[in-house]
Amino acid sequence: MTSTLSTYDEPVITVITANIEHDGGPDIHGQPPQKWYDAHALLKEHRPDILLRQEMTYSRAEGHRRLHQAERALGMRGFLGAQGSGRNPTGLFIRPDVFDVHQQFEQERLWRTPPTNIVASLREAPDVPIVMVSWHLAFNSPRGRERETDEILAFADKMNKRAAFIGGGDCNEYPHPAGESVPPIDWASPEITDRTHMMHRTNPGPDGTRVSCTYSDEALLGAGLHDPARYAAHTLGRPDALRATAGRGKPTQGGGRRIDRHYTDPWSINAVVDVVVIDTSDFSDHDAVKVVYSRARLADAVRRDIAPLPPYDLLTV
């Protein structure tokens, strides 16, 4: 496992999405396994101010004992989403000296794995709500992901009430290929033999061939949200931001893909200064994705003291 920590010439806000596979595994002699400790040690190195977690499998047990262990390990305040039929709840952590928390909303219906949804505010802009969402979209159903994405759009609709938006997680489907560095999957390839996975991740095209699911990305971008990785690659000269985050070593499923993604509102995207894909292969089948914001610019953005970035146009990239 390797990680590269960067320093910046100004105060920053760091947001990380991290799917730690099955929460590192079950307890051993009443304590989390070494993978869990290794994961949290690496996350602590990167010092997130917002951490969007997926697969907090064992964090609800014994009065949320492992959730509270994570709070102590990271120096952050943690929240859990509802259990869901997937039994791998999402979580969300914030740094309490950076953000004040105002509300947590329980989301249960329609979701295989309900998101963790809180409303917080940046200390520099206490009157501006920031909707924060950690999600893990359904792995097994294109229709399920479409319904779940439509619920994320309900969170994003709060932008019309002058709220900011920061969210992300494991989308379990692919970005629209426009502007991407990883080529689309050829589902007709003889190397792709996992037929069940194909049905999880595709829809039938007009001619009967299988077409990759990209609804979540298209809908969120279409609503005016922005993908910091695309912004970093095309505006900041950070092409590595578009690296695959999952699917490594799985050629029968189409290989590595960028399914772990962040989205933010059209004002806050202007504050992004870096995006880094963090190698977490020692303890997960997903890499983490770190988005770094200028703290001063983010404060201006949530107050809407800077102009919003126009919607990302998938037709002209």
Side-chain angles (χ1 to χ4, degrees):
M1 176 184 66
T2 60
S3 65
T4 301
L5 295 179
S6 298
T7 57
Y8 303 91
D9 58 3
E10 62 175 319
V12 296
I13 298 292
T14 298
V15 184
I16 295 178
T17 185
N19 181 337
I20 306 303
E21 188 174 16
H22 296 304
D23 216 1
D27 282 356
I28 299 173
H29 306 303
Q31 293 297 323
Q34 189 60 46
K35 284 185 176 182
W36 186 92
Y37 288 104
D38 291 344
H40 286 79
L42 177 62
L43 289 171
K44 186 176 181 179
E45 283 185 55
H46 287 269
R47 202 181 185 281
D49 298 292
I50 303 170
L51 175 62
L52 311 173
R53 271 290 316 277
Q54 296 82 48
E55 297 201 16
M56 297 191 69
T57 314
Y58 301 98
S59 292
R60 189 176 297 280
E62 299 182 52
H64 297 184
R65 175 172 55 79
R66 199 181 285 195
L67 170 71
H68 298 311
Q69 283 183 271
E71 289 179 316
R72 294 192 300 275
L74 297 167
M76 303 178 77
R77 181 180 175 187
F79 303 85
L80 273 178
Q83 180 81 332
S85 62
R87 299 186 298 281
N88 279 307
T90 60
L92 193 155
F93 294 80
I94 59 96
R95 197 162 297 282
D97 60 346
V98 177
F99 295 99
D100 290 314
V101 177
H102 301 286
Q103 295 169 291
Q104 179 180 10
F105 293 100
E106 292 291 328
Q107 310 290 335
E108 295 186 7
R109 296 181 180 180
L110 301 176
W111 300 86
R112 178 178 175 82
T113 300
T116 306
N117 170 213
I118 70 169
V119 177
S121 61
L122 185 64
R123 287 289 175 89
E124 290 91 330
D127 297 328
V128 181
I130 305 174
V131 176
M132 300 182 184
V133 191
S134 172
W135 63 72
H136 192 167
L137 302 187
F139 82 95
N140 62 320
S141 171
R143 269 67 56 194
R145 288 191 297 276
E146 290 177 7
R147 290 192 300 271
E148 291 171 347
T149 299
D150 291 345
E151 293 302 307
I152 296 172
L153 291 176
F155 301 141
D157 191 61
K158 304 303 182 186
M159 293 188 298
N160 291 323
K161 298 181 178 179
R162 299 191 68 80
F165 180 92
I166 294 176
D170 181 348
C171 296
N172 266 325
E173 66 176 44
Y174 313 105
H176 187 283
E180 291 294 306
S181 60
V182 179
I185 296 174
D186 176 9
W187 293 101
S189 168
E191 292 186 358
I192 299 179
T193 57
D194 189 333
R195 307 294 295 183
T196 304
H197 183 79
M198 182 186 297
M199 299 309 294
H200 290 165
R201 298 295 175 87
T202 66
N203 283 309
D207 60 357
T209 60
R210 304 305 298 186
V211 178
S212 291
C213 295
T214 58
Y215 178 83
S216 63
D217 189 46
E218 293 170 21
L220 297 176
L221 294 177
L225 293 173
H226 283 267
D227 170 3
R230 280 189 172 95
Y231 179 81
H234 301 305
T235 303
L236 303 178
R238 306 281 200 276
D240 282 352
L242 296 176
R243 280 174 40 201
T245 63
R248 53 176 171 257
K250 296 181 178 179
T252 63
Q253 296 182 353
R257 301 289 138 186
R258 192 172 75 89
I259 68 170
D260 302 88
R261 300 190 295 276
H262 294 239
Y263 294 87
T264 194
D265 64 78
W267 293 268
S268 298
I269 190 66
N270 293 286
V272 171
V273 296
D274 201 6
V275 175
V276 179
V277 179
I278 305 169
D279 179 359
T280 56
S281 56
D282 282 359
F283 40 77
S284 184
D285 55 347
H286 291 252
D287 285 336
V289 181
K290 176 171 74 171
V291 177
V292 183
Y293 294 83
S294 159
R295 184 163 178 162
R297 289 278 285 170
L298 184 62
D300 288 341
V302 300
R303 290 191 294 255
R304 301 195 177 180
D305 290 339
I306 55 179
L309 196 68
Y312 193 86
D313 188 348
L314 293 169
L315 297 178
T316 60
V317 176

